[in-house]
Amino acid sequence: DLIESAKRAACRQAVADHFNPSFTYVGIGSGSTVAYVVEAIAEHGASVTGKMKFIPTGSGSTALIRNAGLSVLQVPDLLLEVGFQPESESHQPIDIYFDGADEVDAELNCIKGGGACHFQEKLVSRLAKRFICVADSRKRVDRLLTSWSYVPVEVSPMGAEYVRRELLRLGSQDPKVRTSGPTFISTITDNHNHIIDAPFPTLLLNSEADKLDPAKGLWTPDALLARIKRIFGVLEVGIFSGLNGPQVAQLDTDVEGVKP
Ligand code: DER
């Protein structure tokens, strides 16, 4: 169907534009779009991919890499292998990281975590020199939380109810939140934690920080990310924001002739 064709075309374009046979470590995200990235990389054949190691972002991503006949290297083993020193020149040992997103705003900030993998996705993105976010045009919005309505938050099981109540307080001035409120998702993540989907009103852009007014529910991605991260018990937040997260180069997905 058209959406799958657009996702596949965008991924093949991303690989054609950004994948390089000289790479050693390649990060692979989670979800249905990134599967087409792995398909396109695998087509380079073992003579190219055999020298590479692929860093997964969860159990689905690990299976995707393995099923394509590519070799998996988990983050802890990568850090050992490269002798990782935080904040040093080897600070970003992964050559490139490909992943999808749930929503991407006009300044390339993302909501991620629809697949409950955003902790490991953000871990890999922080270790990567470049993050190529491949998203079909359904995901593209001016401001985050336009079509997607909540922020996925990964929390410790025993702290989850505490976090849920804090999130409710944070978002409660917004009718959307008052109705639904932050809800537990039954998923147990690959890190053995819970996910809470916390609804918030449509965000501002980071460049609109002058309009920031949390009391009125006006948040920038950066400000909301920082505020939720501060809640005791939160492991990670599904907002990838330019100042705190990786720079993402969104691929234009209205690929010639394929308009989902
Ligand atoms: O969980 C994530 O952030 C994923 O990248 C995911 O939500 C994107 O999923 P999709 O490629 O199946 O739309």
Side-chain angles (χ1 to χ4, degrees):
D1 71 44
L2 269 186
I3 293 285
E4 289 309 308
S5 311
K7 287 158 69 172
R8 191 160 188 272
C11 288
R12 301 186 73 79
Q13 190 71 51
V15 170
D17 291 351
H18 300 286
F19 178 77
N20 187 312
S22 68
F23 286 159
T24 306
Y25 299 115
V26 177
I28 298 295
S30 309
S32 62
T33 304
V34 76
Y36 295 118
V37 165
V38 173
E39 174 193 270
I41 289 176
E43 284 174 9
H44 282 76
S47 61
V48 169
T49 59
K51 318 191 296 290
M52 296 177 180
K53 293 177 182 172
F54 293 81
I55 320 300
T57 51
S59 49
S61 168
T62 300
L64 182 64
I65 297 167
R66 285 220 175 95
N67 293 341
L70 304 173
S71 67
V72 172
L73 186 68
Q74 300 289 350
V75 166
D77 301 317
L78 165 74
L79 301 186
L80 275 173
E81 190 163 296
V82 302
F84 180 72
Q85 299 295 331
E87 311 304 329
S88 74
E89 72 289 346
S90 70
H91 181 44
Q92 292 165 325
I94 297 174
D95 297 294
I96 200 161
Y97 166 49
F98 291 99
D99 199 354
D102 297 307
E103 213 180 39
V104 186
D105 75 10
E107 293 175 348
L108 296 184
N109 301 298
C110 304
I111 294 291
K112 286 177 60 48
C117 297
H118 65 271
F119 170 71
Q120 291 191 38
E121 289 170 347
K122 201 175 274 190
L123 175 61
V124 171
S125 72
R126 293 167 68 91
L127 292 167
K129 294 176 180 65
R130 289 194 76 204
F131 167 17
I132 305 297
C133 175
V134 188
D136 62 79
S137 50
R138 293 171 303 161
K139 315 295 185 69
R140 195 176 334 159
V141 293
D142 276 346
R143 291 172 177 76
L144 292 180
L145 301 187
T146 295
S147 50
W148 200 261
S149 61
Y150 56 81
V151 177
V153 180
E154 181 157 346
V155 297
S156 102
M158 285 312 287
E161 181 55 22
Y162 173 87
V163 173
R164 194 186 69 79
R165 289 166 188 266
E166 286 272 23
L167 285 167
L168 185 62
R169 195 167 60 86
L170 259 193
S172 59
Q173 71 281 352
D174 173 65
K176 216 173 15 175
V177 172
R178 258 199 297 280
T179 47
S180 58
T183 48
F184 282 119
I185 299 303
S186 57
T187 314
I188 293 287
T189 68
D190 290 321
N191 318 304
H192 313 293
N193 289 317
H194 285 319
I195 292 282
I196 295 178
D197 285 343
F200 280 90
T202 301
L203 303 186
L204 301 166
L205 291 169
N206 279 330
S207 58
E208 295 174 319
D210 55 310
K211 297 181 191 143
L212 185 63
D213 187 347
K216 293 199 183 100
L218 293 172
W219 295 93
T220 60
D222 257 355
L224 186 57
L225 169 60
R227 180 62 191 85
I228 298 176
K229 281 279 285 201
R230 271 211 314 275
I231 299 174
F232 176 76
V234 169
L235 176 71
E236 194 43 68
V237 182
I239 298 174
F240 280 49
S241 182
L243 299 183
N244 292 323
Q247 289 311 315
V248 293
Q250 184 196 354
L251 189 77
D252 179 7
T253 58
D254 291 338
V255 182
E256 211 46 53
V258 180
K259 297 265 181 206

